[in-house]
Amino acid sequence: MKKRRAEKTGIRLWKENDKKFFVGSMDKFVLFLARTLAVGFLALAWWESLLSVFPIELDRKWLYMPLFAFSALCVWFAGIRGKKKIIPGAAGVILISSLIWKNKNLTVAVLDSLANAYLRVHDEGNVPLLLYNVPVTADVWLGVGIAVVTLPLLAVFSFMLSRDKGKAVVLVLLMLPVFLAAVEGAFPSVQACISLFFTAGVYYSISGKHSGRTVWREAVAAGGFLLILSILSWEAAQPIEAKKENKEGRYFQARAFVETRVIQKVEDAVRTGKEKQHDDNQGENASNQEKNEEDNEKYVDSGQVPEDDPLDMGQGAGTSSGGRPAFLTGTENSNLRNIGSFQPGDGEGLWVVSGTLPESTYYLPLEYGKDYADSSWQTVEPDDKVYAEYSQYPENLSRLMELCKKQNIYNVKDAANFIQTEFEENTVYSYSPGTTPGDWDFAEYFLFENKKGFCVHFATTATLMYRMMGFTARYAAGYSIPVSAFEKQEDGSYRAKVTGEMGHAWCETYDNGWMIREHTLPYTGDNPAAAPPASSSNRAQKENWVAAAAVLVLAAFLFWIHASVRRRQKARTAREYADGRGILSLYLMLWDIAEVAGTPRENSLSGSAFEKLKITLPEISGQDWEWIQQAVQQTMFGKQPPSKEIHERLYRLVMEEARIIQGKLTVRKKIRYRYVKCLPLSF
């Protein structure tokens, strides 16, 4: 024994430890660096997918640089084990809380910027309104503030990467931008979806790995594979997109079939249901009619609302035209060339009242554009007349006429699609586009030269384009009131206060009645590179493919989660004795297996039921079936349930039968076995 100990010298042990110490330190640093980059780039892709639909007025580099710094902190914190987390965790919470408390303006700027980004799309649709006033804040501090809001997301990403737990939670968080966009009828850009897919793939490939060398090898391999897959997917989609451009092809035929045979029928059914509900509500509303008439005596009927859901416009006592948007005629900006920025007016003293809650944004016109000449609208008070001027346009707008006349437009829907495509491909929304030079027409300068404007630019140009393509159209200016602005009153009616930011202009076309045509693009900032979510028809079609894929992935994920939870519940119920109830659970599981094999279920304990099971599951011997029948009947009718030993024996028998039957099933039946019946997979 002593001789063996003497053979191990201290010098050799010291050298080995020294080498391990050096290699271990480098490996830890490489592992930390890889995890930081993975979390940082994943958070960057997450924000890119969100901002492609809900834009924030911010230089994004000031958001992304702090993201990587905070990613390093979260990765470091996630690597700490046990009670060592308490001190740095508490210090971080105290530090962030104190910074938020001392920088209230920055906190307000961050929250208002995020709220504006979401509510511009959620509440206003295509009407770009600034709902909250954001305090003046430097881009660098605004970016840092938004990055601080991202800390919980970074913490979850870092924890999963180091512990390899919570993959489902991370997947839900990654899909959150897609969920929010889909709810609002939009989808992240194709580039954002690809970047999120790529970074998420690399991120998942290195999760749970604790060797720096292994992490980098896995990351490079996964990145190369995903890059090739992304390129192949993109190239494979090009022929499909080209075929979709053919208006005589199957894509347009299928779309027309869906629109006429499916969507139209659904809309008709919904409309019929609403009319029936409206008739049913007439009796209920009659009792409140007298009270509503008394309350509405102080309101002046606007005369421009649907007959089946009348709204009234009121103006407070002592209020004059101060509530009118500054871009309406009769002001100093009557010539549209003089309009350089969005000036909505104060809107004070105006409100609308409705007997029911409007289903969508309500448009309140204050004037209509009749004749257009020299960048000015000759306007009329709101009415439903169809003037001859609504089909006329200046002959000197040669560029706009050439663009419209060369199109093969057969109906107003085609015209609307063409106008929207032109705007999405060539213009962006801007609150301050600048004035129009004196030698330019307002509409042509907007569409062909400046390429940026707000609602007046879009509405004016759209109205002229409709007229040039042979359709009756009028320019409208007034207010657009979102549904969220309506508040329920004690008498059951809904009332909305009109604010200055609701000032808006839009276009209307006539076809057996006036139809509102909203062509103003969503606000995406003044940078033309920051295009709207659907910046072209091709891009919109591609995003539809991405959206469909996202919906399928989401549905598959939810289906998988549901099946996994049910499978665990069934396995736990069958495994527990529970005073004999586990035996009944195992008997029902045998019937589930038999159903997958093709035998209809029979909910009874009769001899014929057991005979069916014997035939369907011949792997279980006749002697065992007799024993199973006795155990089940004793559980149901005996004074004492069978013993735990009998339950354990039946459990092993059923699990063995499940193992055998799985090997004989076809792919379709395996799917039913695992995800419909949710039967156990391993024992």
Side-chain angles (χ1 to χ4, degrees):
M1 182 66 69
K2 291 182 178 179
K3 185 177 180 181
R4 290 179 182 176
R5 289 179 179 176
E7 289 176 353
K8 295 183 178 180
T9 66
I11 295 176
R12 187 170 66 232
L13 292 174
W14 180 85
K15 285 184 177 180
E16 289 178 358
N17 287 342
D18 181 64
K19 183 179 179 181
K20 289 179 181 178
F21 174 80
F22 176 75
V23 174
S25 299
M26 287 298 298
D27 191 73
K28 287 181 180 179
F29 174 75
V30 171
L31 178 63
F32 170 78
L33 179 62
R35 287 177 173 176
T36 299
L37 293 176
V39 172
F41 278 111
L42 187 62
L44 186 151
W46 188 89
W47 271 111
E48 277 294 318
S49 62
L50 190 67
L51 295 178
S52 67
V53 178
F54 306 99
I56 299 177
E57 296 183 74
L58 171 70
D59 189 349
R60 295 183 184 180
K61 67 182 180 182
W62 299 119
L63 168 61
Y64 296 148
M65 287 192 294
L67 274 183
F68 282 94
F70 290 152
S71 297
L73 290 176
C74 290
V75 169
W76 168 76
F77 185 75
I80 302 176
R81 303 280 178 164
K83 296 181 179 179
K84 295 180 180 179
K85 282 188 173 183
I86 297 177
I87 295 178
V93 171
I94 293 173
L95 178 61
I96 293 175
S97 300
S98 61
L99 290 176
I100 292 175
W101 180 258
K102 291 183 178 180
N103 297 274
K104 294 181 180 179
N105 283 341
L106 177 59
T107 304
V108 172
V110 170
L111 296 178
D112 285 357
S113 296
L114 295 175
N116 281 336
Y118 179 75
L119 293 177
R120 281 181 191 131
V121 179
H122 175 71
D123 278 349
E124 310 306 333
N126 289 332
V127 184
L129 305 179
L130 190 63
L131 302 178
Y132 295 100
N133 292 322
V134 179
V136 178
T137 308
D139 278 355
V140 58
W141 293 114
L142 184 60
V144 172
I146 297 176
V148 169
V149 176
T150 317
L151 277 174
L153 189 72
L154 297 175
V156 174
F157 289 169
S158 303
F159 178 84
M160 199 287 285
L161 202 58
S162 62
R163 306 295 175 85
D164 199 24
K165 295 180 180 179
K167 291 183 178 180
V169 176
V170 172
L171 184 59
V172 170
L173 292 175
L174 292 179
M175 294 296 291
L176 183 60
V178 180
F179 299 158
L180 293 175
V183 168
E184 306 307 330
F187 300 99
S189 65
V190 175
Q191 292 84 346
C193 290
I194 291 177
S195 64
L196 188 62
F197 167 75
F198 182 84
T199 54
V202 174
Y203 170 86
Y204 273 98
S205 70
I206 67 173
S207 64
K209 306 293 190 301
H210 296 281
S211 168
R213 182 179 300 178
T214 302
V215 164
W216 280 100
R217 184 171 62 247
E218 294 289 338
V220 171
F225 172 76
L226 292 172
L227 181 62
I228 295 174
L229 183 62
S230 299
I231 294 175
L232 292 177
S233 300
W234 183 272
E235 293 298 326
Q238 299 308 310
I240 298 176
E241 296 298 328
K243 291 181 180 179
K244 289 167 64 178
E245 295 296 328
N246 181 12
K247 294 187 177 181
E248 302 298 329
R250 294 183 178 180
Y251 170 74
F252 278 91
Q253 293 176 359
R255 190 174 70 175
F257 176 83
V258 172
E259 289 177 351
T260 56
R261 299 293 183 87
V262 180
I263 298 177
Q264 187 62 45
K265 290 185 177 180
V266 172
E267 291 178 349
D268 293 342
V270 172
R271 188 181 302 110
T272 303
K274 289 181 179 179
E275 291 175 355
K276 183 178 183 301
Q277 182 179 4
H278 177 74
D279 294 338
D280 293 340
N281 291 335
Q282 291 300 314
E284 182 180 349
N285 293 335
S287 60
N288 296 326
Q289 184 175 1
E290 295 182 0
K291 182 177 180 181
N292 289 340
E293 289 176 353
E294 294 176 358
D295 292 339
N296 290 339
E297 286 180 355
K298 54 187 176 183
Y299 304 132
V300 180
D301 187 4
S302 66
Q304 297 298 320
V305 294
E307 294 180 357
D308 59 341
D309 188 16
L311 284 83
D312 297 322
M313 178 187 73
Q315 186 167 344
T319 305
S320 60
S321 62
R324 298 167 67 84
F327 52 75
L328 293 178
T329 58
T331 69
E332 60 182 2
N333 291 327
S334 59
N335 191 299
L336 300 182
R337 290 196 188 98
N338 298 327
I339 299 178
S341 61
F342 181 69
Q343 300 177 22
D346 53 32
E348 290 295 329
L350 297 178
W351 60 81
V352 290
V353 177
S354 172
T356 58
L357 180 65
E359 296 182 359
S360 60
T361 301
Y362 174 69
Y363 291 83
L364 178 64
L366 298 185
E367 65 181 24
Y368 289 130
K370 190 177 178 183
D371 184 49
Y372 180 85
D374 193 26
S375 299
S376 298
W377 283 108
Q378 176 193 358
T379 61
V380 295
E381 294 296 322
D383 59 45
D384 286 335
K385 296 180 180 180
V386 182
Y387 298 99
E389 288 83 354
Y390 286 159
S391 299
Q392 298 175 0
Y393 51 88
E395 296 293 336
N396 61 338
L397 304 182
S398 56
R399 295 182 67 179
L400 197 59
M401 289 173 58
E402 181 182 1
L403 174 66
C404 296
K405 295 294 185 181
K406 68 180 181 181
Q407 306 301 320
N408 295 322
I409 303 298
Y410 302 102
N411 53 59
V412 70
K413 184 177 180 180
D414 291 342
N417 292 335
F418 165 68
I419 293 172
Q420 190 67 20
T421 300
E422 282 296 313
F423 288 165
E424 290 175 349
E425 289 182 343
N426 300 301
T427 66
V428 295
Y429 187 96
S430 172
Y431 282 104
S432 302
T435 58
T436 303
D439 55 343
W440 274 94
D441 175 77
F442 178 79
E444 288 197 335
Y445 181 73
F446 159 67
L447 186 59
F448 299 113
E449 298 296 327
N450 199 28
K451 298 182 181 295
K452 56 184 179 180
F454 50 91
C455 56
V456 180
H457 299 75
F458 290 100
T460 297
T461 308
T463 302
L464 294 174
M465 293 175 74
Y466 275 115
R467 293 182 181 182
M468 291 176 181
M469 287 184 284
F471 302 101
T472 302
R474 65 186 181 187
Y475 168 86
Y479 290 98
S480 63
I481 300 94
V483 176
S484 59
F486 287 86
E487 297 181 358
K488 191 171 184 178
Q489 306 299 307
E490 293 182 358
D491 61 359
S493 64
Y494 290 85
R495 179 171 173 171
K497 182 179 180 181
V498 179
T499 61
E501 289 81 5
M502 296 178 184
H504 188 51
W506 62 93
C507 174
E508 297 182 9
T509 59
Y510 187 85
D511 184 12
N512 296 323
W514 288 104
M515 173 70 70
I516 293 175
R517 302 286 180 180
E518 181 59 81
H519 289 291
T520 301
L521 297 183
Y523 178 74
T524 58
D526 292 345
N527 184 2
S535 60
S536 69
S537 57
N538 289 338
R539 184 175 179 182
Q541 292 172 359
K542 293 173 183 177
E543 289 174 350
N544 288 337
W545 284 102
V546 175
V551 171
L552 291 177
V553 170
L554 173 60
F557 173 71
L558 294 177
F559 193 68
W560 175 78
I561 289 291
H562 173 73
S564 299
V565 172
R566 285 189 60 197
R567 191 180 302 118
R568 288 178 179 272
Q569 290 176 342
K570 281 192 173 185
R572 184 173 60 252
T573 303
R575 191 70 181 86
E576 293 176 355
Y577 174 64
D579 293 330
R581 291 191 297 273
I583 294 177
L584 294 179
S585 299
L586 290 168
Y587 174 70
L588 295 176
M589 187 177 294
L590 285 172
W591 268 115
D592 287 335
I593 296 174
E595 275 193 284
V596 175
T599 300
R601 193 183 193 93
E602 184 172 330
N603 294 320
S604 72
L605 300 177
S606 64
S608 61
F610 279 90
E611 287 297 324
K612 286 185 178 180
L613 286 175
K614 288 181 184 180
I615 297 173
T616 307
L617 306 175
E619 295 82 5
I620 300 177
S621 66
Q623 184 177 358
D624 284 335
W625 275 119
E626 292 178 3
W627 168 77
I628 293 172
Q629 185 175 6
Q630 291 176 2
V632 172
Q633 290 178 344
Q634 182 181 350
T635 304
M636 290 293 296
F637 309 113
K639 293 182 179 180
Q640 295 294 333
S643 64
K644 290 184 178 180
E645 290 75 16
I646 294 178
H647 170 262
E648 186 66 23
R649 179 185 172 187
L650 179 59
Y651 178 81
R652 291 195 300 269
L653 188 64
V654 173
M655 293 299 104
E656 178 62 17
E657 178 63 23
R659 183 187 66 80
I660 295 173
I661 200 70
Q662 283 186 73
K664 299 180 178 180
L665 296 176
T666 62
V667 174
R668 181 178 62 83
K669 288 186 176 181
K670 282 183 178 179
I671 293 175
R672 188 182 180 198
Y673 179 97
R674 298 180 181 184
Y675 301 107
V676 179
K677 291 298 182 181
C678 303
L679 294 170
L681 301 178
S682 58
F683 326 112

